[in-house]
Amino acid sequence: MQVILHTGVHCTDEDRLLKCLLRNAEAWRHEGVAIPGPSKYRKLLGDSINMLKGTEPSAETREILLDAIIQDDPGKIDRLVLSNDNFFSVPKLMFQNGLLYLKAEARLQTLVNIFDGDEVELYMGLRDPATFLPAAFAATPHDSFGAFMAGVDPMHLRWSDLIRRIRDALPQVPITLWCNEDTPLIWGQIIREMAGIEMTRKISGAFDLFAQIIDKEGMKRFRAFLAENPGINERQKRRVMAAFLDKYAMDEEIEQDVDLPGWDAAYIDMLTEIYEDDLETIARMPGVTLITP
């Protein structure tokens, strides 16, 4: 069985990805793709991993979990899709001991141990630290940004460090990544990749995020264009979407205000530049797929 784990990161799709997957779950159910609701597994799986604390799970652990998570016969499931942006940690502990997602490798290793013999794959959206850090801080009870960062300098934050740690600890686990900033343009591909279906297959909600950042007139014209040109491929479709965004984007939905002491325009631009350089490093990592528009 393939076990697809989506781990956020925090403050990216805000569970919209899972909701879109669930809208299509029944259509894929009879093809061996299981997409359970989060109440079926988030607490259960989290409690199981916490209880094991790095020890080897019993031979029955996998079967017990699958019986609780999947409504159908687990033997008929080829692909299980799970999503939890708190899998690595809750937001307030994001920089525990001065390291981004300190327990990421250990928790993922325990999941791999539980599903011994299955193929575990990791899916994760990344976000520009210039907007990610303020948003993540706002999701915590911390009174100060410094307390939230636990000594980590934002200028030294690299997503590639986290990915490298995971790859070093679990080289057998393929990792698929994308940029949150690109998500409206590649939403359909992310959904299809996670479900393991063909890129040409129609799905419900393929343009959910795109519709949130483009005005009603633009979305109406875009859908009319698709109806008139049903044969265009995914890459052509993205070029058309980018063109429509240039003309019909709602600036208030795209622009993100950052309000932290000492974070002027130059500082924010530098964080974004570092992020873009870091993405080039990530794209060259073995075992890592970076989805781009």
Side-chain angles (χ1 to χ4, degrees):
M1 185 173 67
Q2 294 172 311
V3 179
I4 307 303
L5 176 65
H6 169 242
T7 57
V9 296
H10 290 110
C11 305
T12 51
D13 69 272
E14 308 290 353
D15 265 351
R16 286 175 293 191
L17 194 153
L18 177 58
K19 290 174 183 176
C20 186
L21 286 164
L22 287 169
R23 284 171 61 184
N24 293 274
E26 189 60 30
W28 302 329
R29 177 183 168 193
H30 302 294
E31 300 173 35
V33 180
I35 305 172
S39 62
K40 292 276 189 182
Y41 61 86
R42 283 187 175 172
K43 186 177 187 307
L44 175 63
L45 193 57
D47 288 348
S48 299
I49 289 173
N50 290 336
M51 183 176 64
L52 288 167
K53 292 183 179 178
T55 61
E56 288 295 321
S58 68
E60 297 80 26
T61 303
R62 176 185 183 274
E63 283 65 35
I64 292 171
L65 285 172
L66 289 178
D67 284 341
I69 293 171
I70 300 173
Q71 65 184 53
D72 297 319
D73 178 1
K76 297 180 179 179
I77 300 302
D78 298 317
R79 193 175 182 93
L80 173 63
V81 182
L82 308 172
S83 177
N84 184 2
D85 61 3
N86 285 328
F87 182 81
F88 290 153
S89 89
V90 293
K92 70 178 181 180
L93 299 177
M94 188 179 298
F95 292 102
Q96 187 179 15
N97 291 2
L99 191 66
L100 176 62
Y101 295 132
L102 172 69
K103 298 180 180 179
E105 307 100 301
R107 293 181 68 79
L108 189 57
Q109 181 66 69
T110 302
L111 182 79
V112 169
N113 292 343
I114 290 172
F115 290 99
D116 183 35
D118 297 312
E119 300 174 9
V120 176
E121 298 183 24
L122 179 65
Y123 280 68
M124 190 162 59
L126 308 178
R127 183 173 174 177
D128 183 350
T131 61
F132 169 71
L133 293 175
F137 169 54
T140 75
H142 288 294
D143 294 326
S144 74
F145 184 69
F148 164 64
M149 293 298 296
V152 175
D153 183 345
M155 285 288 178
H156 294 162
L157 177 62
R158 302 288 187 276
W159 289 115
S160 59
D161 291 341
L162 172 64
I163 306 307
R164 191 175 293 109
R165 282 165 39 206
I166 294 172
R167 287 294 302 158
D168 288 346
L170 297 121
Q172 78 277 24
V173 175
I175 302 176
T176 299
L177 306 169
W178 59 90
C179 300
N180 188 60
E181 297 78 19
D182 297 331
T183 307
L185 299 180
I186 59 176
W187 187 248
Q189 181 176 351
I190 296 170
I191 297 295
R192 293 180 180 96
E193 293 273 11
M194 288 188 63
I197 64 172
E198 300 84 359
M199 286 297 118
T200 55
R201 186 164 171 181
K202 287 188 176 182
I203 60 172
S204 177
F207 303 110
D208 281 358
L209 264 66
F210 186 63
Q212 293 178 10
I213 61 174
I214 192 172
D215 65 30
K216 290 183 179 179
E217 177 64 21
M219 196 63 200
K220 179 181 177 182
R221 290 176 179 268
F222 174 67
R223 292 195 181 280
F225 176 87
L226 292 181
E228 294 167 5
N229 300 273
I232 65 171
N233 61 38
E234 192 67 23
R235 189 161 295 279
Q236 292 169 328
K237 197 177 297 180
R238 289 176 192 174
R239 286 201 294 267
V240 172
M241 292 169 75
F244 272 82
L245 276 178
D246 284 341
K247 187 172 183 180
Y248 296 104
M250 295 186 290
D251 292 340
E252 66 274 15
E253 296 296 332
I254 295 177
E255 296 175 355
Q256 301 175 38
D257 294 328
V258 176
D259 184 20
L260 285 173
W263 283 40
D264 58 14
Y267 187 88
I268 292 169
D269 288 346
M270 181 59 71
L271 284 175
T272 298
E273 185 175 331
I274 292 170
Y275 170 59
E276 291 171 350
D277 289 343
D278 196 34
L279 290 172
E280 294 182 8
T281 299
I282 291 170
R284 294 192 296 268
M285 288 183 171
V288 175
T289 299
L290 181 64
I291 301 175
T292 58

